[in-house]
Amino acid sequence: MFKKFLINHRRQMATGEGPAGTSQRVRQWLHRSGCLTFKREPIARGIGIGLLVGLTPTVGFQTGMMLAGCLLIRGNFPAAFAISWVSNPFTLPPMIYAYHELGEWLFGSWVRAHFEGSDATDGALIGLMNTALGTVLIAIPIALIGYFASLGISEVWHRRRHHARAKRREAARRNRDR
């Protein structure tokens, strides 16, 4: 019985049927969508999405949000996932506190005017709005900076690599001509 299962499983893997084939089809779909493309532009988009989502206090939903964002703008998902670790269990509490304080400082009176009340629900809603506004003020500019910095760094790296390759070819050409 087990031997028959192994033979059937190997046949499914070889022909692309079954769970292994589904995985292969999903991988091909992700590659066509740009989520697994390792070129400069998709990697920069992935870094931007990873920073944007990683800097938000959406723990538990970040991977799904990053995958959706990468599919939407054709960004590299592994780059997004790696850079999203900017928020981890050690950095997230100070980040949320800073977001809340920034939102309270800039928008506190405006938020209180719109959600004025005396019960605990209004107080929680005011705190949540201040944190959300502070998050937006930090996450969007840092995501844009990460995107453009990634493009710039990859461009410099590419030019240096191209220049070094041209230099090696020229040196080899001179040695050959001697």
Side-chain angles (χ1 to χ4, degrees), residues 49-112:
I49 287 291
L51 284 171
L52 180 68
V53 173
L55 289 171
T56 59
T58 54
V59 177
F61 303 103
Q62 287 182 343
T63 303
M65 291 171 64
M66 283 183 293
L67 185 57
C70 286
L71 286 170
L72 185 66
I73 66 167
R74 300 171 92 57
N76 181 278
F77 179 71
F81 188 78
I83 201 74
S84 73
W85 276 90
V86 70
S87 67
N88 57 55
F90 299 109
T91 61
L92 195 59
M95 287 170 46
I96 293 173
Y97 178 75
Y99 296 153
H100 177 74
E101 291 300 311
L102 180 64
E104 175 70 32
W105 181 60
L106 291 175
F107 301 106
S109 59
W110 179 80
V111 171
R112 273 192 298 284

